[in-house]
Structures are given as structure tokens and as C-alpha cells.
Amino acid sequence: MARIIVVTSGKGGVGKTTTSASISTGLAQKGYKTAVIDFDVGLRNLDLIMNCERRVVYDFVNVIQGEATLNQALIRDKRVDNLYILPASQTRDKEALTHEGVEKVLNEMSETFDYLVCDSPAGIEHGALMSLYFADEAIVVTNPEVSSVRDSDRILGILQSKSRRAERGDDPVKEHLLLTRYNHERVERGEMLSIEDVNDILSIPLLGVIPESQAVLNASNQGAPVILDEDTEAGQAYEDAVARLLGEERELRFLDPQKKGFLKRMFGG
Amino acid sequence: MSFFDYFKTKKQTSASIAKERLQIIVAHERNTRDQPDYLPELQQELLEVIRRYVAIRDDQVQVQLDKNDSCSVLELNVTLPENER
Ligand SMILES: Nc1ncnc2c1ncn2[C@@H]1O[C@H](COP(=O)(O)OP(=O)(O)OP(=O)(O)O)[C@@H](O)[C@H]1O
Ligand SMILES: [Mg+2]
């Protein structure tokens, strides 16, 4: 039985796909057979981040509609063992992700995988709802910024009322907060919400803090999830998040303010 | 507290303004999402009844359900316009 993890946010562009790519890669590196599934029908992007855009033949919707088998559609990652990608369709509309269809595919994948990571589209429409409905756990990706925090709270409400676990009255979906694009210097200057601020408002367990980093852009340029870039802070922060997801306790890193010069300190820089 | 810190704490940072605004809106939205589906319609009908007697705006009737362990309280707030009192 696979554990189903949705990566969700409500708000667009906060780092869901970046996170899905790195978390799934990290889980596979730890030896778990993992698939990352792109639910963003019409706007597929995960394939680019995972560097398999030229190997896509069949997609998620083809499998749902019986035009391809799961094995035909799954793309095996060339760098990391145990890692597979199920790309989204670019041509169909989101309604092609039917409830029964998604359930059937997830059930079939559950038989052979340990983890299924679902990359949600932005918004709270059909595609986003489908990606979270079957989840056992949710990684709520949030930027330290008002609209992102508010949307995350919306999504938490949906997880608590509209997921399969909620409808069945099972144990609730396990919630994790992943704060991304965090800039410690700006927090120090009072220009950006701090970890504590966001925690006070959302009050769900913190999975990790990913710093705002050029390494993320470099990684997506090259089509390599940033977690593979082990020398970077963002890569290491994702590695920590994966370890915590698996139950390990790790201290938060990379949050010490940079050593400030005397003048800067004097003038509150 | 140093001389410079004094000026720093005087002025509210934009992050603390953001936090305060978020706390208010999130609390409000959590409250409305726990409300039963029939509430907006109930509010609308109450509004119509009251309007037969007093001219009021849509936002002058507020209906809210507060659930405790033992019972639920339906709270109805009607703000009447100044000159009608
Ligand atoms: N920690 C980070 N530091 C810097 N840039 C980042 C970080 N995380 C994400 N980004 C950038 O933010 C942009 C959006 O990221 P991404 O595509 O992962 O977001 P998304 O939530 O999946 O978006 P959408 O809602 O459109 O699916 C990308 O350009 C990505 O490189
Ligand atoms: Mg995305």
C-alpha cells in the first residue's frame, strides 16, 4: 500500500512543482519506490523540472481513459533508482481527471509503490481537489507572504472537509507546513513574515524551511531537482524535509543571520 | 534598550502589520467555513422580512452559528439605521 502525499498550496507559483520534484527524488534516494504524478492537466511542467520532457509518450489521462497502460505511461528517472514520473496531459481539460479514473490509477499504483507524490495545480478547482482527495498526507507549500498564507489556510479547510479521509471519518490527512522562498535577512528587517508568524497563524507542524535561492532556478534550467544539488542550501533544506517526513528529527538550518558589519548593525541594515 | 532600538520598536514593521491582518482575516474565514450551508439563505430571508418594516442594507443583518459541546446558538445581529430609531 503506497502512502499518498499531495503537494498543495492554493496560491499559484509558490513552489509546488519544485517541491514535488525534490521530495519525490529524496524519497527514492532513501530507497522507497516513488512516483511523482503531475495533476496540472493542460499546463504540464513537472516533466521539464525532472528532465524527461522529451520522453513523454503517454500521460495520466491516457491511462485513465484506457488508451495506455500504466507501465507505458510511467517514465523511469535516469539518475535516481526507484523514481518514476507520471506526466500530465497537455491537451485535455481538467475534467478528464474523473474521480473514478484517478482512484483506479492510484489504486493500481498503490500495489507496487511505497510513495505517490501528487503535484497539485494552483487554485481550488477540480484538478486541485482531485489531487488532494485521496491523500494520506499533505505538504502545504507556503511563501511568507499574506496571500499565500491565507490560501494555505483555505486549502487546510478543504483537506479537513473534502478529502476522502474527511468524508469517511478516517484519521485526518496528516498536514505539514513547508515554508519556501524564505529570506532570513528580510525577516530580520521586519519586511517578511517569520517562521513563527506563519506558524502562529496556520498552526500545523513545520516540515521545513527552504530559503529563497538562485540554486532553484539553476536546477530548473538544467532539469535536475534541486535536492540533487547537494552543495546548495536549498538542496540540503529539501533533504532535511524528506528526513523529517520519514520521521527523523532534524534541526532547522540556514537561519542564522549573516555576520553583519558594525555599520550595518548600527543602522539597522 | 539602545538608542537605535528605541526608534526601531516605535515604528511597526510591515511584517507585523501583515501578521495582524492575516490573523483577523483567517479567523473570520475559518468561522464562515464551519457554518452550515443554509446560513446564507436564512440570512437573505431574514433580510427580506426585516425590510418590510425598516430599510436596511445587506450587511446590516449578520447571522452566525456558534457551536458548543452541549448546544448551538444562532446569533442574529440587526443594525438599524440611525434615523429609524
Ligand atoms: N526556494 C526558491 N527560491 C527561488 N525560487 C524558487 C524557489 N522555489 C520556487 N522558486 C521559483 O518559483 C517559480 C514557481 O515555482 P514552481 O513552478 O515550483 O511553483 P508552483 O507552485 O508549482 O507553480 P504553479 O502554481 O504554477 O504550478 C519557479 O520559477 C521556481 O524556480
Ligand atoms: Mg506547478
Side-chain angles (χ1 to χ4, degrees):
Chain A
M1 266 299 271
R3 194 106 180 122
I4 303 178
I5 303 176
V6 63
V7 179
T8 181
S9 71
K11 188 170 160 65
V14 295
K16 292 179 293 297
T17 301
T18 304
T19 298
S20 301
S22 279
I23 296 285
S24 58
T25 302
L27 288 168
Q29 282 179 319
K30 300 257 182 199
Y32 295 99
K33 190 170 175 192
T34 306
V36 55
I37 308 172
D38 192 347
F39 274 77
D40 208 343
V41 171
L43 284 174
R44 128 171 125 214
N45 272 322
L46 185 68
D47 56 343
L48 268 179
I49 303 297
M50 301 294 294
N51 200 22
C52 63
E53 69 276 10
R54 294 177 56 189
R55 294 164 64 206
V56 177
V57 183
Y58 294 111
D59 57 56
F60 194 6
V61 173
N62 290 136
V63 181
I64 287 177
Q65 301 191 334
E67 296 155 354
T69 65
L70 196 51
N71 279 333
Q72 285 175 310
L74 278 172
I75 301 172
R76 190 192 175 130
D77 193 85
K78 284 193 169 158
R79 295 158 297 214
V80 181
D81 280 346
N82 304 313
L83 181 59
Y84 295 79
I85 299 108
L86 184 57
S89 165
Q90 249 181 334
T91 48
R92 327 271 178 120
D93 57 54
K94 293 193 193 291
E95 310 304 315
L97 295 179
T98 61
H99 198 286
E100 297 70 30
V102 173
E103 183 168 27
K104 195 191 79 185
V105 175
L106 293 183
N107 281 346
E108 189 181 341
M109 294 178 84
S110 274
E111 288 168 18
T112 50
F113 283 92
D114 298 312
Y115 284 99
L116 304 178
V117 177
C118 304
D119 180 15
S120 172
I124 49 172
E125 303 297 311
H126 183 74
L129 296 181
M130 273 301 120
S131 71
L132 68 77
Y133 184 76
F134 299 97
D136 300 306
E137 304 191 30
I139 297 176
V140 180
V141 181
T142 308
N143 293 165
E145 168 267 323
V146 283
S147 51
S148 174
V149 176
R150 178 200 206 169
D151 287 1
S152 292
D153 194 70
R154 274 300 287 282
I155 280 290
L156 288 168
I158 292 172
L159 285 164
Q160 289 156 12
S161 62
K162 297 214 167 83
S163 62
R164 178 167 69 176
R165 282 178 171 270
E167 284 183 358
R168 286 184 175 173
D170 293 344
D171 289 340
V173 177
K174 192 170 176 192
E175 299 160 347
H176 308 274
L177 172 65
L178 188 72
L179 208 50
T180 64
R181 312 200 69 159
Y182 194 78
N183 183 323
H184 189 78
E185 279 76 45
R186 295 186 61 191
V187 171
E188 287 277 294
R189 289 198 297 264
E191 297 167 3
M192 185 181 260
L193 291 165
S194 67
I195 303 169
E196 292 74 31
D197 292 340
V198 179
N199 238 345
D200 282 351
I201 292 160
L202 297 178
S203 45
I204 59 169
L206 184 67
L207 184 68
V209 180
I210 313 297
E212 168 80 26
S213 161
Q214 176 64 33
V216 173
L217 194 60
N218 292 347
S220 71
N221 283 342
Q222 294 168 38
V226 70
I227 196 171
L228 292 176
D229 214 343
E230 290 159 9
D231 299 332
T232 63
E233 290 189 351
Q236 291 169 18
Y238 270 117
E239 210 271 315
D240 286 348
V242 171
R244 290 189 198 104
L245 193 63
L246 294 170
E248 229 180 274
E249 286 205 12
R250 291 216 184 162
E251 295 245 340
L252 287 175
R253 297 195 265 179
F254 317 122
L255 298 172
D256 301 327
Q258 304 224 317
K259 297 265 171 291
K260 287 180 187 163
F262 171 74
L263 272 178
K264 260 179 133 181
R265 205 161 54 228
M266 281 294 284
F267 295 103
Chain B
M1 202 196 288
S2 83
F3 178 71
F4 290 103
D5 283 343
Y6 176 76
F7 281 104
K8 258 178 148 176
T9 47
K10 267 300 203 190
K11 204 172 122 250
Q12 210 185 6
T13 64
S14 70
S16 62
I17 297 170
K19 184 181 182 184
E20 276 179 30
R21 292 177 59 221
L22 268 171
Q23 277 171 326
I24 293 165
I25 189 66
V26 163
H28 174 77
E29 286 175 349
R30 277 184 195 159
N31 202 17
T32 49
R33 87 178 160 233
D34 295 336
Q35 299 288 307
D37 295 342
Y38 62 75
L39 227 57
E41 207 180 324
L42 176 65
Q43 176 161 348
Q44 199 54 44
E45 286 182 28
L46 284 169
L47 199 62
E48 281 163 28
V49 173
I50 295 166
R51 275 205 184 125
R52 287 185 210 150
Y53 305 91
V54 198
I56 50 169
R57 291 191 317 268
D58 285 7
D59 62 352
Q60 286 177 301
V61 171
Q62 298 292 336
V63 192
Q64 191 174 311
L65 195 69
D66 289 322
K67 272 173 263 176
N68 298 324
D69 293 338
S70 52
C71 66
S72 298
V73 177
L74 186 71
E75 193 183 307
L76 172 65
N77 269 304
V78 186
T79 321
L80 294 180
E82 282 295 328
N83 52 1
E84 293 290 333
R85 245 182 253 165

